[in-house]
Amino acid sequence: MLQDPLSAVLNLMEAKAAFAGGLSASGPWSVRFAAPDRIKFFALSKGECLFAVEGIETPFHLKAGDVVVYAARRAFTLATDLALPPEESSTLFRGRTNIVEIGGGGEFMLFGCHIDLRPSGFELLADRLPPVIHMRHDDGGTQRLQWMIAEMVRETGAAAPGMDTACSGLAQLMFLHVLREFLPKAGALDLGWLRAICDPRLAPAITLMHAEPQRNWHLPELASAAAMSRTAFADHFKAVSGMAPLAYLTRWRMRLAEKSLRDSNPSIATLSRQLGYTSEAAFSTAFKRVIGMSPRQYRIGKRKLETAP
């Protein structure tokens, strides 16, 4: 079965959502969070608060039903009033699981999750996303998010066996939905191939390239799969992704090569053949151009990281 482009990319990065807990509050409050080392994900089910990010002058006003994807590695504060001295999240959440309460809780409810990625996933995804993606409750296309938030409320309220797994699954769906809604509309951002994978006109051609990366694809074949003329296909692909279709194919091959070099120990010659290159030299040249180092240098660097104390 062919895998759609967005699923293929998320699987390559091994992107997985995990439920981290929740915050229930009432009265005035302020909590400061240290800079995260992975993508954070918030969903508000009740109340409202201010969301201030270091380096961003104007705070975000979050309301019930809003969802935020936070890709920056900067400290941030959630508060009813930013003039209040903040409590450190490390202190507030120390030794706690699931829902933490401030002031007895009840007026405000936020669920927190994080997205785990392979290290290279930060380059492919986190480092290309804006620091904050704020999906408002009244934005078009967010109706399904409201259902998912309501389900998370029910899961945490019941505290039934498997709650963490259920909430992590809901977070995964939310994250996927946000990407579906955000990426095709982010025309002003340099998102490269991330925009292409959510473009419905390009999806048939990209699916083919993902399914058979070793094949010597030609532009007319890919254009035909997308039901477009060769010129229209090439122009649309470049406009959406910022690169030509066959340049995208090269980048996809190199991401697969990275994964193979991390997870197994193929010879460079074998990997070259598996990815459709007629010679080891041609593969190595393409790898260095895209990744910035030769396959052998990449493998040596990976092994040093694995053996480092």
Side-chain angles (χ1 to χ4, degrees):
M1 180 177 178
L2 295 180
Q3 192 174 55
D4 71 88
L6 180 55
S7 294
V9 168
L10 292 177
N11 285 340
L12 180 68
M13 295 186 293
E14 297 184 8
K16 291 182 175 63
F19 178 63
L23 174 64
S24 180
S26 62
W29 57 272
S30 179
V31 181
R32 182 183 184 277
F33 295 78
D37 59 358
R38 46 194 166 180
I39 296 176
K40 290 281 190 178
F41 191 88
F42 311 118
L44 277 69
S45 66
K46 189 176 184 178
E48 57 186 281
C49 74
L50 296 173
F51 173 40
V53 179
E54 283 187 357
I56 297 180
E57 184 176 351
T58 305
F60 298 85
H61 187 185
L62 308 183
K63 297 183 178 182
D66 288 6
V67 171
V68 171
V69 173
Y70 185 61
R73 283 169 272 195
R74 309 177 197 169
F76 62 92
T77 300
L78 297 172
T80 54
D81 182 353
L82 292 171
L84 293 171
E87 185 171 0
E88 293 296 329
S89 64
S90 57
T91 301
L92 182 64
F93 287 88
R94 184 180 296 133
R96 309 284 188 90
T97 58
N98 298 328
I99 309 301
V100 171
E101 292 186 356
I102 298 177
E107 296 177 358
F108 172 86
M109 185 70 204
L110 171 145
F111 298 102
C113 309
H114 58 254
I115 309 298
D116 289 317
L117 301 167
R118 277 192 171 277
S120 61
F122 271 101
E123 179 193 345
L124 296 179
L125 186 60
D127 284 349
R128 285 194 173 268
L129 293 178
V132 179
I133 300 175
H134 180 193
M135 301 290 288
R136 296 172 176 81
H137 65 285
D138 53 357
D139 284 346
T142 63
Q143 294 85 354
R144 290 189 66 197
L145 288 174
Q146 308 315 310
W147 173 84
M148 295 172 203
I149 292 172
E151 283 297 306
M152 197 167 281
V153 171
R154 281 189 280 271
E155 283 291 336
T156 55
M163 182 199 74
D164 285 350
T165 300
C167 288
S168 293
L170 288 166
Q172 189 92 3
L173 282 174
M174 285 188 201
F175 182 59
L176 177 62
H177 189 72
V178 169
L179 291 181
R180 284 174 175 168
E181 290 296 314
F182 172 76
L183 291 175
K185 302 171 186 175
L189 296 172
D190 179 21
L191 296 175
W193 67 331
L194 290 176
R195 288 184 61 215
I197 63 177
C198 286
D199 187 291
R201 298 179 67 190
L202 300 179
I206 291 177
T207 298
L208 290 179
M209 287 190 276
H210 285 184
E212 296 184 81
Q214 77 287 353
R215 182 169 167 177
N216 185 23
W217 290 103
H218 295 286
L219 197 59
E221 297 175 284
L222 298 172
S224 177
M228 300 167 70
S229 71
R230 182 172 64 179
T231 300
F233 173 71
D235 289 346
H236 184 63
F237 203 108
K238 182 70 178 291
V240 170
S241 69
M243 66 185 73
L246 297 184
Y248 175 95
L249 175 61
T250 298
R251 285 181 175 269
W252 181 250
R253 286 171 169 174
M254 297 308 110
R255 299 308 176 188
L256 294 175
E258 278 188 301
K259 185 177 190 303
S260 185
L261 290 168
R262 284 193 307 265
D263 296 347
S264 57
N265 193 35
S267 69
I268 305 301
T270 298
L271 192 53
S272 303
R273 290 192 298 271
Q274 290 174 346
L275 293 174
Y277 288 87
T278 56
S279 72
E280 183 178 333
F283 165 70
S284 296
T285 298
F287 190 95
K288 186 170 185 179
R289 185 173 67 248
V290 173
I291 307 302
M293 65 183 75
S294 71
R296 287 186 173 82
Q297 289 171 326
Y298 184 89
R299 173 177 280 159
I300 291 169
K302 176 183 73 75
R303 287 174 178 167
K304 284 181 178 178
L305 286 175
E306 290 173 347
T307 57

